[in-house]
Amino acid sequence: MAAFEAGATVHGAQKCNEDPSRPILDQIADKWSMPVLGFLDEPKRFNEIRRHLDGVTQRVLTQTLRRLERNGMIVRRVLPTSPVGVEYSLTRLGESLREPFGRLQAWAVDNTDAIREHQRAYDQRMLDYGTSPLPVPASASASAPVAGSH
């Protein structure tokens, strides 16, 4: 595969750091944005979202929701209750991500076993060569142990 060089294009594609979609993709494909967007099938209150997302902190969820609102993916509505409540729902733009996210999630589910097998084989090769395998993210370590670990 050809490497991108400063100012160069490969097969008509811009280099990564000049691609205007990159910041948007980085923001919607982060650890928490996709699960939030996937959970908002109907308007939800903050604490309901937080309870659904195991491990998210209040601060991180607040930042995620603000970023999604800024990008036009969700709308925040203040409820006329006492105490004041807030609910979040998808905008038309956010709703338009359901289909591609659904396909991506289905692909990930369909290929999880194959990917884990490739990871185990790679990790074993690295151990055989005396090289440490890549660190396993905490979220994956419980379900996919690294070869040679117990």
Side-chain angles (χ1 to χ4, degrees):
M1 182 173 272
F4 289 108
E5 295 184 24
T9 60
V10 177
H11 305 293
Q14 295 177 325
K15 67 182 206 173
C16 277
N17 61 356
E18 291 180 0
D19 182 355
S21 69
R22 187 65 193 193
I24 297 165
L25 292 172
D26 287 346
Q27 289 177 19
I28 62 173
D30 70 1
K31 181 176 182 176
W32 297 111
S33 293
M34 288 180 72
V36 166
L37 292 169
F39 184 59
L40 289 177
D41 55 344
E42 60 184 37
K44 302 270 188 345
R45 293 180 73 146
F46 181 92
N47 283 330
E48 186 177 2
I49 299 168
R50 189 166 146 211
R51 281 190 301 271
H52 178 75
L53 300 176
D54 190 34
V56 70
T57 64
Q58 181 169 337
R59 179 177 173 267
V60 168
L61 181 55
T62 298
Q63 291 171 339
T64 300
L65 291 167
R66 285 180 181 164
R67 187 174 49 254
L68 290 170
E69 182 181 12
R70 181 174 183 257
N71 290 336
M73 304 296 166
I74 64 171
V75 64
R76 177 182 183 267
R77 185 171 75 109
V78 177
L79 303 171
T81 59
S82 181
V84 173
V86 177
E87 71 178 13
Y88 298 88
S89 58
L90 292 177
T91 62
R92 184 170 283 153
L93 186 60
E95 186 69 39
S96 72
L97 285 170
R98 283 192 158 300
E99 192 264 331
F101 276 3
R103 283 189 291 150
L104 181 59
Q105 183 179 23
W107 177 88
V109 168
D110 291 348
N111 291 286
T112 295
D113 291 340
I115 291 168
R116 286 186 177 156
E117 184 53 40
H118 285 284
Q119 291 170 340
R120 282 190 287 274
Y122 174 89
D123 292 348
Q124 188 59 55
R125 282 194 313 274
M126 292 302 104
L127 290 171
D128 291 346
Y129 295 144
T131 304
S132 293
L134 295 173
V136 176
S139 61
S141 62
S143 59
V146 175
S149 67
H150 295 91

